[in-house]
Amino acid sequence: MDIIGKSHVGFSRLGGGSKKFKTFNPQTNSDNPWEFIEASKEETSRAVEMAWQAFKVYRNIAGVKRADFLNAIADEIEKIDNLVETYCLESGLPEGRAKGEMGRTIFQLRSFANLLQNDAWKRISIDEAQPERTPIPKSDLRQSLLPLGPVAVFGASNFPLAYSTAGGDTASALASGCPVVVKSHPMHAGTGELIADAVVRAAKATGMPEGVFSNLNSSGIDVGTWLVQHPNIKAVGFTGSIRGGRALFDLAAQRDEPIPVFAEMGSINPVILSASALGKNAMKWADTYAKSITLGTGQFCTNPGLIIAVDSPSLDLFAKELAEQILTIDPMCMLHPNIKNAYSDHKSAVTSQEGVSVLSSISEVQTNYADQAVAKVNGEVFLTNTKLHQEVFGPFSLLVACENEAQLIEVIEKLEGQLTGTIITEEDSLEEVKPILEALQHRVGRVIFNGVPTGVEVCPSMNHGGPYPASTDSRFTAVGTNSIYRWLRLVSYQDFPQELLPNELK
């Protein structure tokens, strides 16, 4: 399928903007052949206005009809013959990763379609009137959920499919009854265009209103700024850096009508190694975490960037094995030179701090490839230097050797909010980690037992979020069918006649 480089504004393809850009192949260190035109302010405004008009129709379309739309999107994605090739050219990621992410994207769409087959997701509540109650009669009260309105979705750099054009934010918003305007990520605009074509074909085939979906090309911050400031955008979905997410959060708060920004931003995902685990299986866990740290070149929001334990000879053994195993894994290409440069800068900012020692690091790599590394610091230095608490996006992890368990718990309590926290221990030593769990669960959104944080299952029980800055609202998840609740609000109807009530409340 052809890539023409124009934005999708409703069902039309527009390219009236003055800025042009290309995507980049980090494997060949060269531009890809396609040229993209950044959406103009007028085209951005038109996309939002169309979404607002579509919302008046789309919010009243039955859930089963919206399910047909989501399933049709999945069907159309499966038909794109050059999707995997384009994904790989724009990301530097291997074909297996592309196919896996495509499968996840399709699964997410179909999961929300299944959710819409009945009204259980609306969390309906009915309290019938009690006119005879004394001393005050009770009114009839019925409660359901209504969609917020058009949602601006920002594509993620590290997931061109599952967190981007038709990824989890878009799928959940469309399921809720909210039209979507996507700010396509400039690193994979071609992949985004192919997916946007599929969404538009599905919308037409299932009779959805024009404006239910738009996809805007963007090489900078202008299009995103215009979207968030537009009065008819009612919520924002974002996956990316703390700096970017916080900028959008602040921008939304400054509007005459502030709107929610559901941003998943930064996390170092602490891993706690207990004394029993180190004593019995230090080598095993070192091998396991060498693979987890380098998986996908460390370009996951759940990458284990911090490993914490009480100092001991067993920890020394773990550190030695981890350092050796890191060097046996072949370096891999990062998504873009900008991401590689940021990785190098942030890694240097950590390893150059006083008291930090580098245990191992790949010395020479190909252009745009990541030089994975592991460093170590003691608990006292870590507690007093917050520069060591920041995310290094890439295959890097910092080992914190604490003086005792009290200091280890203090380290946990001083961390910023995280997406995940992991506890590694032995099954016969569960009592020793109870105080650790008590501290850890208040700093993270998901706690893992004897595993790795990399890998996010898409299911109703998954929570992908956490205290700030892991996300801007720790009450919601960005993954799984419960992510639909970001785009909905409660409405109660008091003493209403049956004929005026929503069908599910009659």
Side-chain angles (χ1 to χ4, degrees):
M1 298 179 180
D2 293 335
I3 295 172
I4 67 173
K6 294 183 178 181
S7 296
H8 296 75
V9 180
F11 295 160
S12 300
R13 302 299 300 277
L14 301 181
S18 59
K19 294 182 181 179
K20 297 181 180 180
F21 65 98
K22 290 186 174 183
T23 58
F24 193 82
N25 184 335
Q27 290 280 7
T28 62
N29 200 38
S30 61
D31 286 335
N32 285 309
W34 318 291
E35 187 173 70
F36 300 90
I37 305 170
E38 183 169 297
S40 66
K41 188 172 185 178
E42 292 73 20
E43 289 165 351
T44 303
S45 181
R46 181 174 176 183
V48 178
E49 292 296 341
M50 292 180 72
W52 181 248
Q53 295 305 317
F55 177 56
K56 298 175 183 179
V57 176
Y58 188 62
R59 65 193 181 194
N60 293 316
I61 290 177
V64 291
K65 294 295 184 183
R66 297 205 295 268
D68 291 342
F69 176 32
L70 295 173
N71 277 322
I73 296 172
D75 293 340
E76 291 294 336
I77 290 174
E78 290 178 326
K79 297 175 186 176
I80 304 173
D81 54 8
N82 56 336
L83 180 60
V84 170
E85 177 188 8
T86 304
Y87 175 109
C88 294
L89 289 173
E90 292 188 318
S91 68
L93 295 169
E95 181 178 315
R97 163 70 186 270
K99 289 181 177 178
E101 195 179 330
M102 183 173 73
R104 173 173 167 168
T105 304
I106 289 167
F107 177 77
Q108 289 174 159
L109 288 160
R110 298 203 190 283
S111 293
F112 283 106
N114 291 336
L115 182 73
L116 298 179
Q117 296 305 315
N118 59 61
D119 287 333
W121 62 274
K122 291 186 177 181
R123 296 180 175 174
I124 294 163
S125 177
I126 296 176
D127 287 285
E128 294 183 345
Q130 296 177 8
E132 73 287 352
R133 191 183 70 176
T134 58
I136 302 174
K138 178 185 175 183
S139 293
D140 185 280
L141 281 163
R142 300 169 186 235
Q143 186 184 87
S144 188
L145 293 164
L146 286 181
L148 294 176
V151 173
V153 170
F154 287 71
S157 65
N158 59 335
F159 280 89
L161 295 173
Y163 282 83
S164 291
T165 316
D169 286 351
T170 294
S172 57
L174 291 175
S176 75
C178 295
V180 170
V181 181
V182 173
K183 182 221 176 270
S184 186
H185 199 285
M187 289 185 190
H188 44 78
T191 304
E193 179 174 324
L194 294 174
I195 295 294
D197 282 340
V199 178
V200 169
R201 289 195 299 271
K204 290 179 178 178
T206 55
M208 296 299 113
E210 184 174 11
V212 71
F213 175 86
S214 292
N215 181 68
L216 304 177
N217 289 328
S218 169
S219 61
I221 66 170
D222 289 344
V223 172
T225 300
W226 296 331
L227 279 175
V228 176
Q229 289 178 328
H230 198 290
N232 286 337
I233 289 293
K234 301 302 180 183
V236 176
F238 173 86
T239 300
S241 67
I242 295 175
R243 180 180 177 184
R246 184 58 199 243
L248 296 178
F249 184 83
D250 291 344
L251 198 62
Q254 293 163 9
R255 292 175 28 144
D256 290 340
E257 178 200 1
I259 56 173
V261 174
F262 297 102
E264 186 253 280
M265 299 181 291
S267 187
I268 52 176
N269 307 295
V271 177
I272 317 301
L273 295 171
S274 72
S276 62
L278 286 170
K280 294 183 179 180
N281 282 304
M283 303 287 279
K284 167 196 167 183
W285 288 115
D287 294 347
T288 297
Y289 268 86
K291 295 181 178 70
S292 181
I293 290 165
T294 55
L295 181 68
T297 327
Q299 296 171 126
F300 294 120
C301 51
T302 54
N303 191 59
L306 191 68
I307 301 174
I308 312 169
V310 174
D311 204 3
S312 69
S314 297
L315 180 60
D316 293 338
L317 178 64
F318 170 88
K320 182 176 183 294
E321 178 70 11
L322 179 64
E324 291 176 356
Q325 288 300 318
I326 282 284
L327 298 179
T328 68
I329 298 171
D330 291 334
M332 292 177 283
C333 189
M334 300 198 81
L335 292 161
H336 192 273
N338 291 346
I339 290 181
K340 167 60 190 298
N341 292 337
Y343 166 69
S344 297
D345 290 345
H346 293 155
K347 183 181 68 171
S348 295
V350 171
T351 56
S352 63
Q353 298 298 309
E354 185 175 351
V356 177
S357 59
V358 177
L359 300 180
S360 65
S361 178
I362 300 287
S363 56
E364 293 184 10
V365 294
Q366 300 178 49
T367 302
N368 300 324
Y369 276 52
D371 44 343
Q372 57 251 34
V374 178
K376 185 179 179 181
V377 70
N378 68 46
E380 182 180 357
V381 172
F382 184 85
L383 284 169
T384 57
N385 188 349
T386 56
K387 292 181 180 179
L388 302 177
H389 300 196
Q390 305 309 308
E391 179 184 26
V392 178
F393 187 71
F396 173 82
S397 193
L398 179 65
L399 179 60
V400 181
C402 298
E403 183 180 349
N404 50 41
E405 183 176 303
Q407 188 180 72
L408 184 149
I409 290 175
E410 185 181 3
V411 166
I412 294 172
E413 292 175 341
K414 291 293 177 64
L415 290 174
E416 294 182 320
Q418 308 292 329
L419 291 171
T420 76
T422 302
I423 295 176
I424 307 294
T425 193
E426 293 296 307
E427 294 285 353
D428 59 359
S429 304
L430 299 183
E431 284 294 324
E432 72 173 322
V433 298
K434 283 186 176 180
I436 294 170
L437 174 60
E438 176 64 25
L440 190 61
Q441 66 189 356
H442 289 286
R443 303 309 305 137
V444 307
R446 173 166 58 111
V447 189
I448 298 110
F449 181 81
N450 280 1
V452 295
T454 38
V456 181
E457 183 68 33
V458 181
C459 68
S461 298
M462 172 55 65
N463 180 38
H464 191 66
Y468 182 88
S471 60
T472 47
D473 194 328
S474 62
R475 297 170 296 174
F476 296 91
T477 177
V479 173
T481 49
N482 283 329
S483 64
I484 194 173
Y485 296 109
R486 295 174 295 172
W487 322 117
L488 297 160
R489 65 182 181 89
L490 290 168
V491 177
S492 292
Y493 299 83
Q494 183 169 327
D495 294 331
F496 261 67
Q498 287 288 314
E499 56 268 30
L500 292 181
L501 284 169
N503 287 332
E504 68 268 18
L505 295 183
K506 290 180 180 179

